[in-house]
Amino acid sequence: MQTKLFVGGDFVDAADGATFDTIDPHDGSVLAHVAEARQEDVDRAVAAARKAFPHWSRMPAADRGRLLLKLADAIEADAENLALLETRDTGHPLRDTLGLDVPRTAATFRYFGGMADKFQGTVVPVEAGFLDYVVPEPLGVIGQIVPWNFPVMFVGWKLGPALAAGNCVVMKPSEVTPLTALRIAELAAEVGFPPGVINMVPGYGQTAGQRIVEHPDIAKLSFTGSTNVGKLIAKGAADTLKQVHLELGGKGANIVFADAQLEAAVNGTAFGIFHNQGQACIAASRLIVHESVKDEFLDRLVTLAGSIRLGDPKDRTTEMGPLTSKLHWDRVISYLDVAAQGGGTVLAGGKAPSDPALADGYYIRPTIVETSPDARAAREEVFGPFMVVHTFKTDEEALEIANSVDYGLGGGLWTSDLARAHKTARELRAGMVWVNSYKRVNPGSPFGGVGLSGYGREMGFEAMREYTEPKATWINVDAALPPFYPRG
């Protein structure tokens, strides 16, 4: 378990010796004392990244790609250890960290490792006698701020394309869940990444995060987190005119039409909202179900929710673990009062489990609340195992409800009608839409939203474009061309 900052290729203490505790959400115990980065530490990390950038950016793209592929192999070889670290730090069940999160992280590094030497420029047909070519160039030092809900996966999502494009990175893992980010930095050093290419500075948003936002030598900032913090970051970055990528909150609409295959829709809906304790920006947090199938659908969904096995996330039979922090548990619990004040009816869950073995952890039962689309609980992101339910009569009404919030990250729908599927997907205001599925991700598919869900994209060729700047070069290839200002 690595607990120091990673700066310039070395693990080091914070400049002022500061540390913070990272907590096991299963029982509230202290997992480790982790070095806390502050302004001086961020400055050291940026200086190390700047020093490394000329060599890294000019390295043959295939060589950068080979290092990313080696890192993917190292992550797979270390899967058991990484998955256990992630589980202990986040509360995410081991069955998921080992079966989904770590393999997806390795797959992301492998995807961008393969893309590094395939991200091509273009030749533009301009006027006769000139060759105009456009080359994507790396931006320089990238600041990246990673959230606490899927920390190991987000390390891959952000590091992969930035490094493949030739940038160097200063990353701030969340102070809530820093351990797997530090372990990946350790693996990167072991497989041969040059010093300074990757720097890890875990710390708090108001100190380390704020310095990353303000630092004049950081060319771009990529942030994943809450919409409120994203707004502050956008304002703070304006002084240095650094580029900003924001992947923010969501309030995903999940529409179940009357002709849906109900068993598949119930199972997919449950995964969409209860996986990772609902702590996902793309969670299926708003169920919009046709009135003709509402009763049967909810009977099945409530029964399934009640059968989900809560428990110690290190137990491989556990299906749902604790929320990641006490602060967040308090916030999710508060929305039960919000829902009640808005006239909501609790159909399932709505309280902590009664098992005394879980009493010291941050657990809450899978919760389903029926309420109106105008209620606060239906419009604000709860970020927990908390689903609101609405009904509709017509396709138009379903779309109206789905598009009535200010978020626009992900949305889904369940239907057997192909024409309806395409039409609804087109009309949903979201950066991603799933048809007869929910919450699918892949390194090749762009991930991001619209509205209060932010702007910019993770993954795919779009992510590589996010971390490069197109540079146009004009070559005069016709010596017979007259000068622009002929004389005589």
Side-chain angles (χ1 to χ4, degrees):
M1 186 185 294
Q2 187 53 251
T3 60
K4 296 185 176 182
L5 313 180
F6 186 67
V7 178
D10 296 315
F11 283 97
V12 298
D13 291 322
D16 62 0
T19 64
F20 61 86
D21 293 341
T22 184
I23 305 298
D24 185 334
H26 167 60
D27 57 14
S29 63
V30 175
L31 275 175
H33 309 292
V34 179
E36 180 196 336
R38 295 180 180 173
Q39 178 171 329
E40 184 177 345
D41 304 296
V42 171
D43 290 349
R44 286 191 295 163
V46 173
R50 286 191 69 194
K51 183 178 179 180
F53 177 69
H55 170 68
W56 180 251
S57 61
R58 293 167 189 159
M59 180 186 290
D63 292 345
R64 291 198 302 267
R66 274 189 283 272
L67 282 172
L68 287 164
L69 294 173
K70 286 182 179 180
L71 181 54
D73 291 340
I75 288 169
E76 288 181 338
D78 196 52
E80 292 277 351
N81 178 51
L82 268 172
L84 184 57
L85 274 179
E86 187 83 340
T87 289
R88 295 183 70 193
D89 215 10
T90 66
H92 197 176
L94 186 60
R95 59 183 281 167
D96 289 333
T97 58
L98 190 57
L100 290 175
D101 299 356
V102 172
R104 284 174 172 176
T105 303
T108 299
F109 280 113
R110 184 161 287 115
Y111 177 87
F112 287 107
M115 186 188 284
D117 62 351
K118 300 172 184 67
F119 189 60
Q120 301 173 346
T122 57
V123 174
V124 181
V126 293
E127 57 260 40
F130 286 91
L131 169 68
D132 182 85
Y133 62 87
V134 181
V135 177
E137 292 194 338
L139 298 171
V141 179
I142 306 296
Q144 298 180 328
I145 299 178
V146 177
W148 48 259
N149 57 325
F150 287 100
V152 71
M153 284 205 312
F154 278 119
V155 167
W157 285 23
K158 292 193 182 295
L159 279 184
L163 297 176
N167 301 284
C168 296
V169 172
V170 175
M171 175 178 283
K172 190 195 86 64
S174 169
E175 73 280 4
V176 180
T177 56
L179 297 179
T180 46
L182 293 170
R183 177 56 181 158
I184 287 179
E186 194 170 31
L187 293 174
E190 290 174 4
V191 303
F193 275 80
V197 172
I198 299 171
N199 303 273
M200 290 286 177
V201 287
Y204 292 93
Q206 63 267 32
T207 49
Q210 187 66 29
R211 182 56 180 161
I212 290 173
V213 172
E214 295 173 349
H215 203 294
D217 293 330
I218 289 179
K220 176 165 185 161
L221 173 60
S222 178
F223 169 78
T224 298
S226 73
T227 296
N228 288 337
V229 175
K231 291 178 180 179
L232 294 175
I233 285 174
K235 292 177 182 177
D239 288 340
T240 55
L241 289 181
K242 61 170 54 69
Q243 297 183 34
V244 179
H245 162 225
L246 300 175
E247 197 271 281
L248 307 175
K251 195 71 174 176
N254 183 43
I255 305 172
V256 178
F257 289 98
D259 61 351
Q261 295 183 10
L262 291 192
E263 183 176 359
V266 167
N267 288 330
T269 296
F271 176 78
I273 183 58
F274 299 133
H275 172 242
N276 197 29
Q277 298 76 255
Q279 298 170 137
C281 49
I282 56 173
S285 53
R286 291 186 297 147
L287 172 64
I288 305 168
V289 59
H290 193 272
E291 61 180 10
S292 67
V293 295
K294 170 195 169 185
D295 290 343
E296 181 180 359
F297 188 90
L298 288 179
D299 283 347
R300 294 189 186 194
L301 184 61
V302 168
T303 299
L304 193 158
S307 73
I308 293 174
R309 291 191 295 273
L310 275 70
D312 186 340
K314 297 185 292 298
D315 184 336
R316 298 194 188 208
T317 66
T318 293
E319 295 174 325
M320 201 171 105
L323 300 184
T324 299
S325 72
K326 176 62 165 58
L327 182 67
H328 189 59
W329 184 90
D330 289 340
R331 182 181 186 277
V332 173
I333 286 291
S334 74
Y335 269 91
L336 293 170
D337 290 336
V338 170
Q341 292 166 8
T345 301
V346 176
L347 305 179
K351 57 186 177 181
S354 57
D355 185 348
L358 308 181
D360 293 330
Y362 313 138
Y363 290 87
I364 182 172
R365 297 204 60 82
T367 298
I368 303 171
V369 176
E370 187 170 8
T371 190
S372 78
D374 296 329
R376 267 187 65 197
R379 306 188 67 80
E380 298 178 4
E381 185 178 39
V382 179
F383 213 69
F386 188 105
M387 169 183 278
V388 295
V389 179
H390 315 306
T391 58
F392 70 94
K393 296 180 179 180
T394 66
D395 292 14
E396 293 72 22
E397 184 184 5
L399 278 166
E400 182 179 355
I401 296 171
N403 292 335
S404 65
V405 299
D406 294 325
Y407 295 104
L409 190 59
L413 61 117
W414 303 81
T415 181
S416 298
D417 186 323
L418 183 61
R420 170 184 281 148
H422 282 291
K423 182 179 186 299
T424 306
R426 184 181 69 241
E427 298 296 331
L428 273 175
R429 184 173 174 267
M432 298 165 287
V433 176
W434 298 276
V435 177
N436 293 331
S437 62
Y438 205 97
K439 208 176 175 187
R440 307 298 300 181
V441 295
N442 184 278
S445 181
F447 185 105
V450 299
L452 291 189
S453 293
Y455 46 79
R457 293 295 182 267
E458 314 265 20
M459 316 288 249
F461 276 90
E462 285 77 7
M464 292 288 283
R465 294 187 185 98
E466 295 274 345
Y467 288 111
T468 57
E469 198 80 82
K471 182 178 183 179
T473 301
W474 290 68
I475 307 293
N476 182 344
V477 296
D478 189 347
L481 280 173
F484 285 109
Y485 300 102
R487 299 292 188 268

